[in-house]
């Protein structure tokens, strides 16, 4: 079976990749050209089901697609640094005889340029013109950065990684060089993609155990006979057998409303959209039995997967009725699936274990706080943030912050007032990012 690879780039990049791709018959490649960042998303959406992975040849397009986050397939890109940057600089120094101070850069991080110059033993002054690149930065703004420097006589040439910026600069009469992927980097990327694909196959074959806990007796005030209870269990079991067939698994009932489904990681990954959503399951929707919670465990053995599943079920029940959680083989926990406040955290961490000893706060709770910071993309949180994402009472969140504050891990840095009529909320800087 060949690996279906979708390649997105402009003509210049695609031509280089096509030269190398013949060396890799394991891939069936489809090429797509684009004009705007929105084109990248449209292409992925249109051909997602016909590809196994994507290779985005422009770093700008890759970052845009990553931020969009709508692809279920692996996204790869070829870094425009190292050999690619060295090749461009050598061309400039040899053909144009320019100094590094005469050039402006975009997309390539400032630290990479400094590192590259140091490795080439090139001396440079205090000023290197590098555009502060963000994925939200419009292409016109990147062009304008180079053009203004050139027009004001501060540079003699521009270096860009973006094909459209090169075209715009050439049209304006600015001497411009484009960083393109070198063949060595392309070969290395094909090797990495082949390896990742095969690792994914192995990973998808891992054992997965799903444990459901149901409330079989819906009316707590009604007195049930043993026959009635047994009949309710049979009806629920029949529905779960149908579900188990869908995920190519087998069912095991253990009593007290608990049922285990043994399947593979790949089957559950598919039905949950890569462990992001709760699947729409016809058998459950038509059931009068209420799902208390669901835990999914992944493991290298059935025992490990089952242990992780029961751990996930325990965490899921803390989030309320019908919650789904998953514990992976590396003990990373994700969930609740399908919720906006979905977190990824761990029950195990040496660094967090030390903080746990100082604060008497569990490693899992500390890891959840790190997950909230990653979700909100800030290290400044309020007690309300903790309460909302961790599904706990505000007073419990305040107690957690108080313990962290006593140990110098949470530092009050200000207030926020999201509701003009409400009381201001204290904001704390959480020093957990390095843990």
């Amino acid at each position: 079976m060949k690996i279906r690879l979708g390649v997105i780039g402009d003509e210049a990049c695609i031509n280089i990749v096509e030269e190398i791709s013949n060396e890799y018959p394991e891939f069936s490649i489809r090429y797509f050209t684009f004009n705007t960042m929105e084109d990248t998303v449209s292409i992925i959406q249109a051909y997602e089901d016909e590809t196994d992975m994507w290779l985005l040849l422009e770093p700008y397009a890759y970052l845009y697609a990553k931020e969009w986050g709508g692809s279920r397939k692996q996204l790869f890109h070829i870094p425009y640094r190292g050999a690619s940057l060295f090749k461009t600089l050598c061309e400039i120094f040899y053909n144009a005889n320019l100094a590094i101070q005469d050039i402006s850069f975009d997309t390539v991080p400032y630290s990479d340029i400094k590192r590259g110059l140091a490795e080439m033993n090139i001396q440079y002054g205090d000023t290197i013109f590098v555009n502060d690149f963000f994925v939200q930065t419009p292409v016109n703004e990147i062009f304008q950065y180079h053009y203004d420097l050139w027009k004001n006589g501060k540079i003699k040439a521009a270096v860009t990684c973006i094909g459209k910026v090169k075209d715009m600069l050439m049209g304006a009469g600015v001497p411009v060089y484009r960083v393109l992927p070198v063949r060595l980097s392309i070969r290395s990327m094909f090797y990495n993609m082949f390896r990742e694909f095969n690792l994914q196959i192995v990973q998808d074959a891992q054992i997965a155990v799903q444990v459901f806990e149901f409330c079989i007796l819906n009316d707590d005030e009604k007195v049930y006979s043993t026959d009635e209870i047994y009949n309710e269990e049979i009806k629920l079991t029949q529905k779960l057998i149908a579900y188990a067939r869908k995920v190519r698994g087998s069912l095991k009932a253990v009593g007290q409303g608990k049922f285990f489904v043994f399947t593979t990681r790949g089957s559950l990954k598919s039905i949950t959209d890569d462990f992001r959503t709760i699947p729409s399951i016809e058998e459950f929707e038509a059931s009068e039995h209420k799902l208390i919670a669901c835990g999914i465990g992944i493991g290298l053995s059935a025992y490990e997967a089952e242990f992780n599943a029961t751990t996930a079920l325990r965490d899921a029940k803390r989030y309320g009725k019908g919650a789904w959680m998953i514990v992976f083989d590396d003990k990373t926990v994700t969930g609740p699936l399908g919720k906006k406040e979905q977190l990824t955290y761990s029950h195990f961490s040496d660094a967090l274990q030390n903080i746990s000893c100082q604060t008497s706060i569990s490693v899992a709770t500390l890891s959840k706080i790190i997950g909230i910071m990653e979700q909100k993309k800030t290290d400044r949180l309020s007690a309300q943030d903790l309460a909302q994402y961790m599904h706990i009472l505000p007073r419990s969140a305040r107690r957690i912050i108080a313990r962290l504050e006593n140990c110098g891990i949470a530092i009050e840095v200000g207030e926020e007032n999201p509701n003009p009529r409400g009381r201001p909320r204290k904001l704390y800087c959480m020093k957990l990012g390095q843990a």
Side-chain angles (χ1 to χ4, degrees):
M1 182 184 69
K2 289 196 173 186
I3 304 169
R4 300 173 301 169
L5 175 65
V7 178
I8 302 176
D10 64 7
E11 189 174 351
C13 290
I14 285 177
N15 287 340
I16 300 173
V17 172
E18 279 188 304
E19 291 179 24
I20 307 299
S21 63
N22 294 329
E23 302 174 14
Y24 298 89
E26 303 90 352
F27 290 86
S28 172
I29 306 176
R30 191 166 185 174
Y31 295 95
F32 304 90
T33 57
F34 73 105
N35 293 312
T36 67
M37 295 301 105
E38 290 75 15
D39 289 344
T40 303
V41 170
S42 299
I43 291 168
I44 292 175
Q45 287 176 323
Y47 297 96
E48 178 84 340
D49 293 334
E50 299 175 24
T51 60
D52 298 312
M53 53 179 57
W54 293 98
L55 175 61
L56 286 82
L57 300 179
E58 285 207 15
Y60 198 64
Y62 170 77
L63 293 173
Y64 188 89
K66 286 286 285 185
E67 187 169 274
W68 166 59
S71 176
R72 302 185 306 276
K73 307 297 173 61
Q74 283 185 291
L75 303 178
F76 295 89
H77 79 295
I78 300 171
Y80 281 35
R81 55 187 70 172
S84 299
L85 180 60
F86 294 166
K87 177 178 177 292
T88 306
L89 290 176
C90 288
E91 181 184 354
I92 294 171
F93 297 149
Y94 183 78
N95 294 332
N97 196 29
L98 296 177
I100 195 69
Q101 291 83 0
D102 298 328
I103 309 167
S104 58
F105 298 85
D106 67 48
T107 310
V108 181
Y110 180 71
S111 58
D112 283 0
I113 294 173
K114 287 177 60 179
R115 190 182 304 114
L117 295 174
E119 290 178 1
M120 297 174 73
N121 201 24
I122 295 174
Q123 302 297 319
Y124 56 92
D126 296 331
T127 302
I128 300 177
F129 296 105
V130 183
N131 177 254
D132 290 328
F133 173 77
F134 300 98
V135 69
Q136 300 88 353
T137 307
V139 170
N140 290 343
E141 190 174 313
I142 299 173
F143 156 77
Q144 199 66 43
Y145 170 79
H146 294 292
Y147 181 77
D148 289 344
L149 288 172
W150 176 77
K151 186 177 181 181
N152 294 324
K154 294 184 178 180
I155 63 165
K156 296 178 182 178
V159 172
T160 182
C161 298
I162 305 169
K164 191 170 183 180
V165 172
K166 179 186 178 182
D167 294 340
M168 295 170 69
L169 290 169
M170 288 180 64
V174 181
V176 57
Y177 297 84
R178 183 178 175 191
V179 181
L180 289 170
V182 297
R183 286 156 180 77
L184 178 64
S185 297
I186 296 171
R187 289 188 175 94
S188 176
M189 181 52 63
F190 269 95
Y191 170 77
N192 288 336
M193 290 188 296
F194 181 73
R195 183 189 61 183
E196 285 295 322
F197 181 79
N198 285 286
L199 285 174
Q200 189 65 57
I201 291 176
V202 173
Q203 191 179 64
D204 285 347
Q206 280 184 305
I207 297 171
V209 174
Q210 193 171 13
V211 55
F212 296 97
E213 184 170 341
F214 285 90
C215 179
I216 294 180
L217 308 180
N218 293 312
D219 190 349
D220 293 336
E221 296 182 0
K222 181 180 176 181
V223 178
Y224 288 85
S225 67
T226 54
D227 288 341
E228 287 175 317
I229 295 173
Y230 184 61
N231 186 53
E232 292 299 316
E233 287 180 340
I234 290 175
K235 289 195 296 184
L236 182 55
T237 300
Q238 289 173 337
K239 292 181 172 65
L240 286 166
I241 288 173
Y243 167 75
R245 289 198 189 108
K246 284 187 176 180
V247 295
R248 300 178 181 180
S250 60
L251 178 71
K252 178 181 178 182
V254 296
Q256 297 181 334
K258 287 186 179 180
F259 299 83
F260 285 75
V261 174
F262 292 81
T263 180
T264 63
R265 177 176 183 153
S267 295
L268 292 184
K269 176 182 175 182
S270 175
I271 200 171
T272 59
D273 190 18
D274 200 8
F275 304 112
R276 288 183 288 193
T277 62
I278 294 178
S280 177
I281 304 173
E282 182 180 348
E283 290 79 12
F284 293 173
E285 292 171 354
S287 176
E288 67 274 18
H289 305 100
K290 295 180 181 178
L291 176 65
I292 296 174
C294 170
I296 298 173
I298 309 296
L300 299 177
S301 66
Y303 177 83
E304 181 186 3
E306 189 174 338
F307 177 84
N308 288 341
T310 55
T311 302
L313 177 67
R314 181 195 64 200
D315 283 12
K317 289 166 75 171
R318 293 172 180 167
Y319 280 91
K321 296 285 186 182
W324 288 41
M325 300 289 288
I326 177 167
V327 176
F328 293 96
D329 52 315
D330 63 356
K331 306 307 177 185
T332 300
V333 186
T334 294
L337 304 191
K339 299 291 185 181
K340 182 180 178 181
E341 299 83 10
Q342 182 170 321
L343 296 177
T344 298
Y345 57 94
S346 175
H347 285 286
F348 299 90
S349 167
D350 290 338
L352 293 183
Q353 189 65 52
N354 293 331
I355 297 176
S356 177
C357 292
Q358 298 175 45
T359 60
S360 298
I361 299 172
S362 71
V363 171
T365 297
L366 295 170
S367 188
K368 285 179 185 179
I369 296 173
I370 293 176
I372 297 170
M373 291 192 292
E374 292 173 350
Q375 183 92 334
K376 292 176 66 64
K377 298 180 180 179
T378 179
D379 60 359
R380 300 190 174 198
L381 302 176
S382 66
Q384 285 73 14
D385 291 326
L386 268 60
Q388 175 187 349
Y389 281 83
M390 296 170 65
H391 292 255
I392 59 177
L393 295 173
R395 64 172 177 269
S396 299
R398 286 192 289 269
R399 280 199 296 268
I400 291 171
I401 290 179
R403 291 182 185 178
L404 293 173
E405 192 176 16
N406 289 338
C407 295
I409 297 167
I411 301 172
E412 186 178 342
V413 292
E415 294 181 339
E416 64 175 359
N417 196 355
N419 185 349
R421 296 185 178 180
R423 296 176 59 185
R425 301 173 178 175
K426 292 183 179 180
L427 283 176
Y428 296 86
C429 179
M430 299 292 178
K431 301 294 185 179
L432 290 168
Q434 304 301 318

